[in-house]
Amino acid sequence: MMARTKRSRRSYGAGEWGRNRVRVFPDLKTGLFQVEWRENGRRLTRSLGHRDWTRAKRQADEFAAGFASPDLNGKVEAEPLDLGTLFDIYGEEVTPTKTRHSRLHDRTTTKMFLRFFGRDRDPATLSQRDWDRFIRERRSGRIGPSGRPVSDRTIEHDLKFLIAVLNWAERSRDEQGRLLLDRNPLKGLRKPTQKNPTRVVLAEEEYRALLEASSRVEWRFRVALVLAHETGHRIGAIRKLRWTDIDFEGRVVRWRAEHEKTGYEHVTPLTDEAVAALKEARAVGAGSGNAPVLPSPIDSARCMSPSCAFRWWKKAQTLAGLEPKRGRGWHSLRRKFASDLMDTPLKVLCELGGWKDPQTVLKCYQRPDAGQLRTALEGRPRVRG
């Protein structure tokens, strides 16, 4: 009689000790499941050549019962790839290469898609009807982590992730050289786009009001505000600056790829205002070496958190007497930077602000004001009659 099967988090065992004991476990480097057994007192191991936990446990049971041979070098029969396994593989191999924010989005969105479509769903059977049904349910708030209706912009972001996973599966092969997915069944379907999205550009008088109020908020907020205005970079990249990224002598700052949404590492010059703000941070924070330029108020070895940046922005708005306005946040400074430098060659502007795609700047960031429009008209050549 076979002993009771033992289960654990890291391995699965079947059979009796000293007789037909078999264990399966994942390889730490590749993630492929291994099968281990003893033969004539020797411990032997073979790779199962896959990452399917359910299949690995079934093979262990069959091996222990004598229905399967340990010779696993022969041809392995293809098993259907379900949506759960596909997302698991993508989460193990691709998601870890992304930024922290993207990794969090991948994990959250993966759970949502698997609850909606089901882990056992064959990805090749996804169709226009599934696509449309997801958009309706997500838009209404019946699915999703918040439980509230969301904008088309959010839905577009979610569907881009789903398309990315299916496109990756279409190009990737398993250990036997078979494509994970013959084709992306959702390729070419139209994603919802938000009409007239809110893209606020911070006005000059609003920036001056926030700057004046910054001294009553926190020194970290003041430095971050000046750097965001003078460099045009995202607050996420500014928060994670370290003193090794700052070159006072050369008056430049290095933006690390791992902290940039685009993954683009680059170096930009610093204005007098930015240098002054950084010197203030160095004097107050007493930081040097690899220490954060904007350390956390709780732990000086860590960078300032996103919640601090958000909370201090709201406080500064109140102190500056600015009415709350949807879309007026840290990113409105990035749009102000792009709009202020409207006359700068686009390639130069992209390098200064860390944009990889010039079309993104034209479509999402630059907003001409009334003065620029009037100046353009007044400078138009006139025909003399």
Side-chain angles (χ1 to χ4, degrees):
M1 181 177 177
M2 291 181 63
R4 186 177 65 179
T5 299
K6 181 182 178 182
R7 304 177 186 217
S8 70
R9 249 177 64 180
R10 297 186 178 178
S11 65
Y12 177 91
E16 287 187 48
W17 290 103
R19 192 169 72 87
N20 61 341
R21 184 66 175 172
V22 178
R23 185 172 74 95
V24 290
F25 56 92
D27 181 82
L28 294 177
K29 292 184 178 179
T30 65
L32 300 175
F33 284 108
Q34 312 288 310
V35 59
E36 179 185 273
W37 76 100
R38 287 190 175 273
E39 190 175 298
N40 298 325
R42 295 174 58 208
R43 186 171 65 179
L44 303 176
T45 305
R46 293 285 188 278
S47 173
L48 292 175
H50 62 79
R51 299 180 180 84
D52 189 332
W53 182 231
T54 303
R55 178 180 166 194
K57 291 191 291 184
R58 185 177 69 250
Q59 287 178 303
D61 290 334
E62 293 173 349
F63 187 4
F67 297 131
S69 164
D71 183 10
L72 301 168
N73 295 323
K75 185 177 179 181
V76 180
E77 291 297 322
E79 293 214 0
L81 176 73
D82 56 46
L83 205 57
T85 302
L86 173 57
F87 273 106
D88 288 344
I89 297 172
Y90 186 91
E92 292 172 3
E93 299 183 5
V94 182
T95 297
T97 66
K98 301 183 180 182
T99 63
R100 179 180 173 278
H101 179 76
S102 295
R103 291 196 302 269
L104 180 61
H105 178 263
D106 280 11
R107 289 193 290 268
T108 304
T109 313
T110 291
K111 292 179 182 177
M112 178 180 62
F113 279 127
L114 293 181
R115 281 196 301 268
F116 185 74
F117 294 123
R119 288 190 64 89
D120 297 332
R121 179 71 181 270
D122 180 354
T125 65
L126 294 173
S127 68
Q128 176 84 58
R129 294 178 65 193
D130 298 300
W131 181 270
D132 294 341
R133 186 165 58 93
F134 173 82
I135 292 173
R136 288 195 304 270
E137 298 295 298
R138 185 75 167 111
R139 186 180 281 151
S140 68
R142 285 190 287 270
I143 59 172
S146 68
R148 296 191 299 269
V150 299
S151 67
D152 283 346
R153 174 65 174 163
T154 300
I155 299 172
E156 181 187 14
H157 196 39
D158 293 339
L159 290 174
K160 278 183 178 180
F161 171 66
L162 177 60
I163 291 296
V165 173
L166 296 175
N167 283 341
W168 176 82
E170 189 181 35
R171 300 189 301 268
S172 302
R173 297 180 182 273
D174 63 13
E175 289 70 23
Q176 281 70 48
R178 297 181 295 256
L179 286 171
L180 297 179
L181 199 61
D182 290 335
R183 67 179 185 86
N184 179 353
L186 303 179
K187 183 174 289 185
L189 297 186
R190 180 175 296 179
K191 295 182 284 292
T193 55
Q194 186 172 349
K195 296 179 181 179
N196 302 318
T198 304
R199 291 174 178 146
V200 175
V201 178
L202 192 72
E204 180 66 24
E205 57 272 17
E206 292 175 326
Y207 171 68
R208 293 298 168 190
L210 288 170
L211 189 63
E212 190 278 329
S214 64
S215 58
R216 292 175 282 162
V217 178
E218 230 279 354
W219 70 265
R220 296 170 183 82
F221 172 75
R222 178 178 176 82
V223 173
L225 182 69
V226 173
L227 290 179
H229 183 266
E230 297 299 317
T231 69
H233 279 68
R234 295 178 178 85
I235 185 59
I238 293 170
R239 286 190 304 101
K240 294 174 182 175
L241 284 174
R242 295 184 177 270
W243 288 113
T244 49
D245 300 323
I246 309 299
D247 179 1
F248 281 104
E249 185 176 346
R251 293 170 62 89
V252 295
V253 55
R254 176 183 61 155
W255 304 96
R256 304 189 193 193
E258 61 266 31
H259 301 152
E260 285 288 310
K261 183 179 178 181
T262 57
Y264 171 49
E265 181 162 321
H266 55 291
V267 175
T268 60
L270 292 168
T271 63
D272 292 341
E273 291 83 357
V275 171
L278 287 167
K279 287 182 177 179
E280 176 187 343
R282 186 171 60 177
V284 178
S288 61
N290 200 42
V293 172
L294 299 170
S296 165
I298 300 172
D299 182 358
S300 60
R302 300 177 62 184
C303 296
M304 183 180 86
S305 68
S307 60
C308 282
F310 177 73
R311 186 172 66 251
W312 290 334
W313 180 278
K314 289 186 67 177
K315 183 178 179 180
Q317 272 194 146
T318 302
L319 292 173
L322 300 178
E323 289 293 327
K325 183 178 182 181
R326 180 179 174 82
R328 188 213 286 134
W330 287 100
H331 219 63
S332 64
L333 277 165
R334 187 159 163 80
R335 298 188 192 98
K336 182 180 187 300
F337 182 85
S339 299
D340 287 349
L341 298 178
M342 186 85 72
D343 296 332
T344 304
L346 195 53
K347 187 174 182 62
V348 175
L349 176 60
C350 288
E351 190 67 24
L352 285 173
W355 287 282
K356 290 184 71 174
D357 182 9
Q359 292 303 315
T360 301
V361 179
L362 295 173
K363 180 180 178 182
C364 304
Y365 287 91
Q366 287 187 330
R367 289 290 182 274
D369 58 28
Q372 290 171 320
L373 294 176
R374 184 165 297 280
T375 300
L377 280 177
E378 290 174 351
R380 180 185 180 189
R382 300 290 178 181
V383 176
R384 298 183 182 277

